[in-house]
């Protein structure tokens, strides 16, 4: 079965500091990968999705960027965090063969 | 644009009652997949049930069943004999066959009261 390892689970960062959240995939090759943000009490907002190495589509203009250096690695980054970047970030994947999505544990980011 | 709409931000029912969560979607695609995901307070996402658009028979998974109306583009989730552990956010999601991009509804917060 497909799994996603996402870390860290919680993170507190000062305003202006850089960010790097990473997720890695096991159990499938060439998955579609997604980064979502969930603000408190709200639904999932798609930030980035990737259909392959080096291929990133951005859904929402913002202070964040994403990269996919390897087939099973997806990284969410920021050069300088803003207070508004606080939230719950979820990495998701989707195996092309069965279209079922699978999720990481999520990262709760607090920018102070 | 392809969208998923969950019109009920929050619902609350008594334990053992039956509850139905609504989901409608908009697409011009003919082939796609529909999902209901549960997100408990732990924030983990758990697949509840999935439906292929080409299948007319409604999917069922234990106490969970769907009412899939393709012409109406409706995909409601029915939870029978609700349990306290069903308390969670429920997300309806859609994957079109053409680009496999996940599209999510805003979610419905379901509270099961003892």
């Amino acid at each position: 079965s497909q799994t996603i390892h996402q870390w860290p689970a919680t993170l507190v960062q000062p305003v202006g500091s850089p960010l790097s959240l990473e997720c890695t995939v096991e159990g499938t090759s060439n998955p579609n990968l997604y980064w979502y943000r969930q603000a408190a009490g709200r639904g999932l907002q798609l930030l980035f999705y990737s259909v392959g190495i080096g291929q990133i589509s951005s859904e929402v203009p913002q202070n964040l960027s994403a990269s996919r250096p390897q087939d099973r690695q997806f990284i969410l980054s920021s050069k300088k965090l803003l207070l508004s970047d606080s939230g719950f970030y979820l990495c998701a994947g989707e195996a092309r063969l069965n279209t079922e999505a699978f999720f990481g544990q999520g990262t709760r980011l607090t920018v102070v | 644009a392809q969208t998923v709409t969950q019109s009920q931000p929050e619902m609350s029912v008594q334990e053992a009652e039956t509850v139905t969560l609504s989901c409608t979607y908009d697409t011009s695609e003919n082939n796609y997949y529909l999902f209901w995901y549960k997100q408990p307070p732990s924030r983990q996402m758990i697949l509840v049930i999935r439906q292929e658009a080409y299948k007319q028979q409604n999917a069922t998974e234990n106490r969970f069943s769907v009412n899939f109306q393709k012409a109406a583009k409706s995909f409601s989730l029915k939870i029978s004999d609700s349990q306290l552990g069903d308390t969670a956010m429920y997300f309806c999601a859609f994957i079109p066959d053409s680009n496999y991009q996940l599209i999510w509804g805003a979610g419905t917060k379901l509270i099961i009261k003892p």
Side-chain angles (χ1 to χ4, degrees):
Chain A
S1 63
Q2 305 96 342
T3 56
I4 285 184
H5 300 282
Q6 182 182 343
W7 68 93
T10 59
L11 188 61
V12 180
Q13 292 282 99
V15 169
S17 64
L19 172 74
S20 180
L21 301 181
E22 184 170 346
C23 76
T24 58
V25 176
E26 291 183 0
T28 188
S29 297
N30 196 26
N32 293 331
L33 294 173
Y34 308 81
W35 276 110
Y36 292 91
R37 176 167 57 198
Q38 186 178 30
R42 300 174 69 179
L44 292 164
Q45 179 188 37
L46 178 63
L47 301 177
F48 301 97
Y49 72 95
S50 171
V51 298
I53 296 173
Q55 300 179 63
I56 308 293
S57 295
S58 174
E59 292 297 302
V60 182
Q62 61 219 321
N63 184 41
L64 302 168
S65 62
S67 62
R68 188 167 177 179
Q70 300 180 45
D71 178 50
R72 300 179 189 184
Q73 185 184 28
F74 201 29
I75 300 171
L76 182 70
S77 304
S78 174
K79 291 182 179 179
K80 288 185 178 181
L81 283 169
L82 306 172
L83 288 175
S84 58
D85 291 326
S86 294
F88 184 79
Y89 290 84
L90 193 63
C91 180
E94 186 224 331
R96 292 177 189 272
L97 289 179
N98 61 20
T99 72
E100 181 176 315
F102 48 101
F103 299 87
Q105 293 283 345
T107 297
R108 184 173 301 282
L109 172 66
T110 303
V111 182
V112 297
Chain B
Q2 297 175 118
T3 58
V4 177
T5 302
Q6 292 179 249
S7 58
Q8 305 147 313
E10 185 169 322
M11 297 185 71
S12 180
V13 298
Q14 294 292 135
E15 189 177 9
E17 289 183 349
T18 294
V19 60
T20 299
L21 309 182
S22 68
C23 172
T24 58
Y25 56 94
D26 188 20
T27 183
S28 58
E29 305 256 349
N30 192 46
N31 296 320
Y32 47 87
Y33 304 85
L34 294 158
F35 306 86
W36 276 100
Y37 280 90
K38 171 184 176 181
Q39 187 187 45
S42 67
R43 306 302 281 272
Q44 182 70 300
M45 294 289 269
I46 302 165
L47 177 64
V48 174
I49 202 164
R50 94 180 231 161
Q51 174 87 39
E52 289 90 347
Y54 62 85
K55 289 186 177 179
Q56 292 187 341
Q57 185 175 7
N58 289 326
T60 299
E61 195 70 39
N62 299 317
R63 297 182 295 108
F64 299 88
S65 61
V66 297
N67 183 5
F68 174 48
Q69 302 289 329
K70 190 172 183 179
K73 296 179 182 174
S74 172
F75 184 60
S76 60
L77 174 69
K78 185 172 84 171
I79 306 175
S80 304
D81 186 27
S82 58
Q83 301 174 358
L84 296 179
D86 295 333
T87 292
M89 284 287 289
Y90 286 81
F91 291 95
C92 180
F94 161 88
I95 296 180
D97 217 16
S98 60
N99 63 15
Y100 293 104
Q101 182 179 344
L102 275 168
I103 302 166
W104 294 89
T108 296
K109 184 177 181 180
L110 177 64
I111 300 170
I112 308 299
K113 297 180 288 186

